Amino acid sequence: MKDNRQHPFRDSHQDREAASHIPDTPQTRAPSYALAFADEDFMYREELRPVRLQLELLKPELLMDEANVNSTIVLFGGARIPEPAKKDTAKTQTLSELSKYYEEARRFARIMTEESMKAGGTDDVIVTGGGPGVMEAGNRGAAEAGGRSIGLNIVLPHEQAPNAYVTPELCFNFHYFGIRKMHFLMRASAVCIFPGGFGTLDEMFEALTLIQTGRMAQIPFLLFGRDFWEKIINWEALADAGTISAEDLTLFRFVETAEEAIAALDSWDGKGEKRGTIPGR
């Protein structure tokens, strides 16, 4: 991180280093004597959760600001979808067939990153969850274009690591799902949803709810794979039941290919506008 201090005082690095060389006495060994910001046991206390939440919000925000990331294109999608060359390793026939969307995510990310780089590479930076499957495809396409991409990883009980295509200085790790979700959307200029499971559905519906209720400005919201999404969600039934309005079905659009997605981005009505009223309420 940049050192933007504008004061003459000693910085925390100096004092942390000095404190590591103090005499060993009963007093200096006492937990109370440790510098608060360098005391992990203290930072892990239940009462410090608000501080930890703030740190997870602040650290990626500062680093992305310093990296001049102005806006992002968000890619959500299944971790279990393999690349086409490895579709025979898929656990189900459906996952094998969905491998075509790995390639579309890769192509879309590559094309959008190439366009972003023409304007300096600070806008429409690809951001994914940093894992395998569709996430890997997005970061991979950006890397193939010679550009940057972001990975917002989350600590999970099973062993996992960021995919190899995330730009290292833009690779983050989170403890709090809620803060991670904020970072996905805080800079979003478009959201692209590929076939996926619970995590993808969660991210999709949360973002749609924010747009539907006017808590977030309307942005291009693309669902890759009409057959998949219409098979698992009866969108029209929601509108017919009145639990959403027919107008809500215009908040997103189905696409199949990278080219269709790019055309949709270029022709999106209402981008940047926030709803003042919720249709049907």
Side-chain angles (χ1 to χ4, degrees):
M1 286 188 185
K2 295 179 182 178
D3 187 352
N4 295 318
R5 290 180 298 122
Q6 301 294 323
H7 59 76
F9 303 117
R10 282 172 60 89
D11 68 56
S12 54
H13 293 90
Q14 290 175 305
D15 278 358
R16 185 175 64 176
E17 174 63 20
S20 68
H21 300 294
I22 56 177
D24 182 18
T25 71
Q27 290 76 24
T28 61
R29 287 196 299 270
S32 60
Y33 190 76
L35 289 166
F37 62 83
D39 185 349
E40 288 191 357
D41 289 336
F42 176 69
M43 290 295 294
Y44 296 157
R45 286 180 59 143
E46 183 77 10
E47 299 89 342
L48 269 289
R49 178 175 288 119
V51 175
R52 296 194 298 272
L53 284 162
Q54 184 179 24
L55 290 173
E56 285 211 342
L57 180 63
L58 189 59
K59 179 180 178 179
E61 181 72 2
L62 288 174
L63 292 178
M64 282 193 268
D65 280 346
E66 290 171 5
N68 295 315
V69 176
N70 296 329
S71 65
T72 59
I73 293 179
V74 185
L75 269 64
F76 291 132
R80 304 181 188 189
I81 295 176
E83 62 177 296
K86 299 179 181 178
K87 66 180 183 179
D88 292 342
T89 66
K91 294 183 178 180
T92 68
Q93 181 61 34
T94 298
L95 284 173
S96 178
E97 294 169 356
L98 291 174
S99 65
K100 64 184 179 182
Y101 292 112
Y102 179 107
E103 187 59 27
E104 292 304 326
R106 179 181 174 182
R107 292 177 57 247
F108 174 75
R110 184 176 69 245
I111 295 169
M112 294 308 301
T113 301
E114 289 170 347
E115 291 301 309
S116 171
M117 292 171 64
K118 292 177 183 177
T122 60
D123 286 296
D124 292 343
V125 179
I126 297 296
V127 57
T128 80
V134 167
M135 296 174 280
E136 175 188 282
N139 297 121
R140 184 176 181 178
E144 290 171 343
R148 305 179 298 170
S149 69
I150 303 163
L152 304 182
N153 292 78
I154 188 83
V155 178
L156 298 173
H158 56 275
E159 184 178 354
Q160 55 93 41
N163 69 67
Y165 303 101
V166 179
T167 301
E169 60 268 26
L170 294 175
C171 188
F172 302 98
N173 201 16
F174 291 85
H175 172 65
Y176 296 106
F177 267 94
I179 300 299
R180 177 177 180 252
K181 288 177 178 179
M182 286 187 65
H183 280 295
F184 271 123
L185 298 179
M186 285 169 65
R187 287 174 165 81
S189 61
V191 174
C192 300
I193 311 287
F194 292 80
F198 285 167
T200 303
L201 290 167
D202 174 47
E203 292 155 345
M204 176 179 70
F205 280 120
E206 183 158 43
L208 275 176
T209 300
L210 289 171
I211 296 171
Q212 179 205 39
T213 58
R215 295 286 297 179
M216 176 179 168
Q218 297 181 62
I219 57 176
F221 203 103
L222 309 177
L223 275 61
F224 279 75
R226 178 188 288 270
D227 288 346
F228 176 85
W229 291 113
E230 290 189 337
K231 181 177 181 181
I232 65 169
I233 302 169
N234 192 333
W235 304 93
E236 296 293 339
L238 292 172
D240 291 343
T243 54
I244 66 171
S245 69
E247 291 92 334
D248 292 332
L249 297 177
T250 67
L251 296 177
F252 58 89
R253 195 179 303 178
F254 296 109
V255 296
E256 295 297 326
T257 66
E259 289 76 16
E260 287 183 20
I262 293 166
L265 295 183
D266 293 337
S267 62
W268 201 268
D269 292 330
K271 183 176 181 179
E273 299 175 2
K274 289 184 181 178
R275 283 180 161 184
T277 58
I278 302 175
R281 294 289 290 272

